[in-house]
Amino acid sequence: MSDIPFDSTRRHVLGLGCERGTQAAEVLALAIEALDAVGIGAAELAAIASIANRRQEAAILAVARHFAVPAVFFDALRLEEETQRLKNPSEIVFARVGCHGVAESAALAALGADAELVLGKIKSAHATAAIACIGLQKD
């Protein structure tokens, strides 16, 4: 789990993956589509998460700025540890970056072992998004 600040409201992480140089507008539109798909508002988002080799990717950083949340990044080895929890593992992604998924894995890694995917990977032309949540159990 990362050190992102989350609480009873901000308990969702949006995992993002994209090709290098993808336009920020495309990634932001996909992010909004992902949030809308599961009825999550921006105020419920704790962070954006991705793979470490996208740490400087302008589109991912623009989405984090848009939602005013931190961006956290994980190396491929850490993301690969999440493979058993993925809804959409990909051999193609593994061959390219060394883990079986970026968006789903990053969202789960950001929140730790108690996180669950609430939205499996969705795609645009050049990007992927997924959402994980912590604290799904009812009190």
Side-chain angles (χ1 to χ4, degrees), residues 98-115:
C99 60
H100 281 87
V102 173
E104 290 181 351
S105 296
L108 290 166
L111 291 173
D114 293 331

Side-chain angles (χ1 to χ4, degrees), residues 1-6 47 70 72 74 109-111:
M1 186 164 125
S2 65
D3 293 329
I4 61 169
F6 66 93
V72 295
F74 301 91
L111 291 173

Side-chain angles (χ1 to χ4, degrees), residues 3-118:
D3 293 329
I4 61 169
F6 66 93
D7 56 33
S8 61
T9 300
R10 290 188 179 271
R11 57 192 185 104
H12 296 86
V13 170
L14 175 65
L16 293 174
C18 68
E19 296 174 15
R20 290 197 190 282
T22 300
Q23 294 295 310
E26 178 182 342
V27 180
L28 180 58
L30 184 64
I32 291 168
E33 178 184 338
L35 294 175
D36 288 348
V38 290
I40 295 169
E44 298 172 78
L45 197 58
I48 303 299
S50 192
I51 193 166
N53 67 7
R54 294 296 184 264
R55 186 178 306 277
Q56 300 300 321
E57 193 65 40
I60 291 174
L61 297 174
V63 172
R65 280 192 306 275
H66 175 84
F67 291 113
V69 295
V72 295
F73 300 89
F74 301 91
D75 64 34
L77 289 174
R78 173 63 188 95
L79 295 183
E80 182 62 9
E81 292 173 10
E82 300 295 340
T83 300
Q84 295 302 315
R85 301 199 301 155
L86 302 183
K87 291 182 179 180
N88 302 287
S90 169
E91 291 298 327
I92 294 170
V93 173
F94 181 78
R96 289 183 181 162
V97 298
C99 60
H100 281 87
V102 173
E104 290 181 351
S105 296
L108 290 166
L111 291 173
D114 293 331
E116 295 180 35
L117 286 172
V118 294

